[in-house]
Amino acid sequence: MGEGLVVEGLESGYGEMQVLWGVSLRVNRASMTVVLGPNGAGKTTLLRTIMGINKPWKGKVIMEGEDVTFVPPHEKVARGMTLVPEGRRLFPELTVEENLLLGAYTRISTRSTAGYREALSQVYELFPRLRERRGQKAGTLSGGEQQMLAIGRALMSEPRILLLDEPSQGLAPKIAIQIIDLLSNLRRERGLTILLVEQNIAAALKNADYAYVMEQGVIIKEGERDKILHDESIRQAYLGL
Amino acid sequence: MPFADLVVGTLLYGALLGVIYGIATAGLSLIFGVLKIVNVGHGAFMMIGAYTTYWFFTLYGLNPVLSLPFSLAIGALLGLAFYYPVVRRVIDAPEMASLLATFAMGLLLQEAARMAWTSDYRGFSWEVARLEIGGVSIYASKLIAAGLALLLLLFHYVVFYRTKLGLAIRAVVQDREGALVVGINVDRIYALSFSIGIAITVASGSLLAIYNPVGINPYMGAILTLKAFVIAVMGGLGSIGGAFIAGVLFGLFENVSYVVLTGIEGVQPLVLTRFIAFTLLLVILLVRPKGLFGR
């Protein structure tokens, strides 16, 4: 298995406040890796720094063998990596279809629809609900639909590496599980490399190949799914068992 | 002049001027809407447009209408020239930084204009026909200026709602981080929006000079900035359609109150009109803090 995404000794933060204190991790190609940890551990900052929304202070981000540490976000999207951000960050006043269209921004032109037609029909196949609501403003969708749209929008750029920041946040448990199952399918069927930050730990761990546990800006534990799943301290701290 | 003609004439001139105020505010609104900064140097950019039309007419006899493409180009370049070294650095800074920076840009243009062209008041007279509309005789040049303003608004609308660039601009306005993760080069969108905003602003200065080809001087921008603020706030900051409608209302209001106040003895109509305009703004803000058309 090749390396999809490698992070080495990543440090970053906001202004004077350092949040990440040397985070290293490795996501194999076509695998699903989950990062667990309490609120404020720096999980969101980690994803934002990998994506380039926050500037890395130190360390490296390597995408399929290529150093992309200082590549700006828009270029990372063009190269095949994107983020489903915390809080979805949809364009509320634009329609569902316009949101999806913007997902393919790096490949669309005003004249030709060739670049996104197929991706669009794939997304609609995946989420028939979005097709029904294609002309509706994104801001009027339900929470679950918005999350589908956020994932659909990310898929429109046809990424090979997908970062997701708590996609199940604010969703009913049943829908949350559906979303995570869907990600797991995408990984299997399309060979997507997935790095997932998730609060819904049971569902995330069930589908993940590998897990990292993060606290206060550093990785404190890592391992194969089964090892983490059976780790006594993790079961107590995160699974409530 | 019969009373009815006076009323028609006042309203007509007010509406024509208002259309120009509307487009003059659209640039300010666009820049605020996208970059979230208030361009305090707004009027100075309009001054550059007025001089552009003046000089092309005076030196080369160029038809003022044809100076519009030059104003747009000069504005677009000025916008880029100010964006990269200055504006870009203050977008994420506290508001005071962007206020001071844009204020400084205005001063810079103003003093450069004074050094280049002295502080003389300048004007030109472009001989065009007068038209009869409903018994009122009206300068064709004023109609042309208003027509061009509408054309610019249309251009603005097409860019905003019918192009990929416009879609990207609207995306950045609605969610900057969402725009980043779909692969929009947000910095480039800021640069282009600022450039387009300044281009429209400079062009609106040309239109103002066509409408009223007198009183062109380096310091003419101050009052234009104030008026644009009043109109932008009336219309709801960042709303371009709102700015336009508010501009027309403001033009109507200004003209009507000027005519009415002229009839009162011992009143300086121009000064009092401004006083009333700001009072109006206060009242609107008290009743509708987000402006007439703000959401």
Side-chain angles (χ1 to χ4, degrees):
Chain A
M1 264 206 216
E3 289 165 350
L5 177 69
V6 177
V7 174
E8 284 173 8
L10 204 59
E11 295 184 22
S12 89
Y14 303 86
E16 297 277 293
M17 188 180 70
Q18 182 158 1
V19 177
L20 302 182
W21 297 83
V23 175
S24 298
L25 54 81
R26 188 194 149 101
V27 186
N28 285 328
R29 201 168 284 189
S31 78
M32 181 151 136
T33 298
V34 59
V35 179
L36 312 174
N39 280 331
K43 303 180 304 275
T44 293
T45 309
L46 173 65
L47 294 189
R48 290 170 61 98
T49 308
I50 292 173
M51 195 60 205
I53 297 171
N54 286 33
K55 286 256 163 11
W57 295 0
K58 242 187 194 172
K60 272 185 183 167
V61 178
I62 297 157
M63 184 183 163
E64 294 169 344
E66 230 179 308
D67 188 335
V68 293
T69 313
F70 295 105
V71 171
H74 63 94
E75 236 170 89
K76 286 204 177 99
V77 175
R79 290 189 194 195
M81 169 153 70
T82 191
L83 165 70
V84 177
E86 187 182 27
R88 300 163 196 138
R89 313 311 292 252
L90 299 170
F91 308 117
E93 297 289 317
L94 300 183
T95 64
V96 167
E97 191 146 312
E98 283 171 324
N99 269 273
L100 291 173
L101 194 65
L102 277 161
Y105 182 79
T106 53
R107 294 180 300 121
I108 54 173
S109 75
T110 321
R111 283 185 194 81
S112 153
T113 57
Y116 68 87
R117 270 292 147 213
E118 201 185 312
L120 189 65
S121 64
Q122 277 180 6
V123 168
Y124 281 151
E125 218 166 284
L126 208 57
F127 304 110
R129 198 56 168 274
L130 293 183
R131 177 176 298 167
E132 286 167 32
R133 309 202 175 240
R134 66 212 289 177
Q136 208 170 312
K137 281 187 180 174
T140 66
L141 299 179
S142 72
E145 290 163 347
Q146 289 196 10
Q147 194 57 57
M148 291 175 197
L149 182 54
I151 293 172
R153 184 180 71 178
L155 293 176
M156 288 296 290
S157 68
E158 301 196 330
R160 295 184 306 283
I161 299 175
L162 186 59
L163 316 174
L164 297 109
D165 196 347
E166 302 203 9
S168 74
Q169 196 181 38
L171 300 184
K174 216 173 121 188
I175 297 170
I177 290 169
Q178 280 174 9
I179 294 269
I180 292 171
D181 284 346
L182 175 108
L183 293 173
S184 174
N185 286 340
L186 282 174
R187 178 201 53 144
R188 222 172 302 123
E189 287 162 17
R190 299 196 192 176
L192 258 177
T193 305
I194 295 176
L195 179 60
L196 176 68
V197 161
E198 192 42 76
Q199 291 285 343
N200 192 333
I201 291 155
L205 271 181
K206 189 185 92 184
N207 288 295
D209 302 294
Y210 203 86
Y212 290 87
V213 181
M214 206 172 155
E215 258 174 39
Q216 296 183 354
V218 290
I219 302 285
I220 56 158
K221 205 167 267 182
E222 64 175 285
E224 304 279 336
R225 176 194 49 200
D226 290 342
K227 182 184 152 204
I228 296 289
L229 208 50
H230 296 113
D231 187 295
E232 204 48 50
S233 64
I234 287 171
R235 289 171 71 85
Q236 274 177 9
Y238 298 114
L239 296 172
L241 300 171
Chain B
M1 200 183 329
F3 182 70
D5 287 355
L6 181 69
V7 170
V8 172
T10 304
L11 292 180
L12 195 59
Y13 275 123
L16 293 179
L17 183 61
V19 168
I20 292 168
Y21 282 164
I23 199 69
T25 309
L28 185 80
S29 263
L30 172 68
I31 290 168
F32 179 79
V34 181
L35 289 87
K36 302 284 181 285
I37 66 168
V38 175
N39 178 13
V40 188
H42 180 77
F45 288 98
M46 289 181 69
M47 174 270 294
I48 296 293
Y51 269 108
T52 303
T53 300
Y54 170 81
W55 284 118
F56 272 110
F57 181 79
T58 310
L59 296 178
Y60 309 113
L62 184 74
N63 184 329
V65 170
L66 298 179
S67 70
L68 207 61
F70 291 99
S71 295
L72 283 168
I74 289 169
L77 291 175
L78 267 181
L80 290 177
F82 278 117
Y83 178 77
Y84 283 103
V86 183
V87 178
R88 186 190 207 184
R89 291 166 202 275
V90 295
I91 287 178
D92 291 322
E95 274 139 28
M96 190 52 81
S98 65
L99 289 175
L100 284 174
T102 54
F103 184 64
M105 284 164 18
L107 284 182
L108 190 74
L109 289 175
Q110 196 173 291
E111 293 311 311
R114 187 185 57 81
M115 283 193 279
W117 306 314
T118 77
S119 54
D120 292 350
Y121 277 62
R122 294 168 192 271
F124 61 92
S125 88
W126 178 35
E127 299 293 339
V128 283
R130 295 178 69 116
L131 301 172
E132 292 284 324
I133 297 176
V136 183
S137 160
I138 200 162
Y139 286 105
S141 58
K142 293 189 195 299
L143 276 176
I144 290 170
L148 290 171
L150 287 174
L151 204 66
L152 267 184
L153 182 73
L154 183 71
F155 161 75
H156 195 190
Y157 180 87
V158 168
V159 168
F160 226 62
Y161 291 103
R162 293 282 178 273
T163 68
K164 184 184 170 188
L165 172 66
L167 186 63
I169 291 175
R170 285 183 290 147
V172 171
V173 170
Q174 287 176 34
D175 200 311
R176 179 174 162 183
E177 204 169 310
L180 281 173
V181 300
V182 299
I184 294 172
N185 185 344
V186 172
D187 183 47
R188 196 170 146 263
I189 294 297
Y190 282 160
L192 289 173
S193 302
F194 192 74
S195 178
I196 294 172
I198 295 295
I200 290 175
T201 302
V202 172
S204 74
S206 284
L207 295 180
L208 198 66
I210 296 173
Y211 185 87
N212 197 13
V214 293
I216 299 166
N217 75 91
Y219 302 107
M220 66 189 281
I223 186 65
L224 296 174
T225 304
L226 279 178
K227 284 182 189 175
F229 282 179
V230 174
I231 294 164
V233 173
M234 265 171 74
L237 262 175
S239 155
I240 289 148
F244 205 82
I245 297 168
V248 174
L249 289 177
F250 189 86
L252 281 171
F253 161 80
E254 197 180 64
N255 239 21
V256 170
S257 73
Y258 185 84
V259 170
V260 171
L261 292 171
T262 311
I264 304 171
E265 216 162 311
V267 163
Q268 283 190 292
L270 210 58
V271 177
L272 203 61
T273 294
R274 279 171 203 169
F275 169 75
I276 297 173
F278 281 95
T279 310
L280 188 71
L281 175 69
L282 270 179
V283 172
I284 288 172
L285 286 182
L286 278 174
V287 181
R288 288 195 57 111
K290 289 192 162 180
L292 290 176
F293 307 96
R295 267 181 294 186

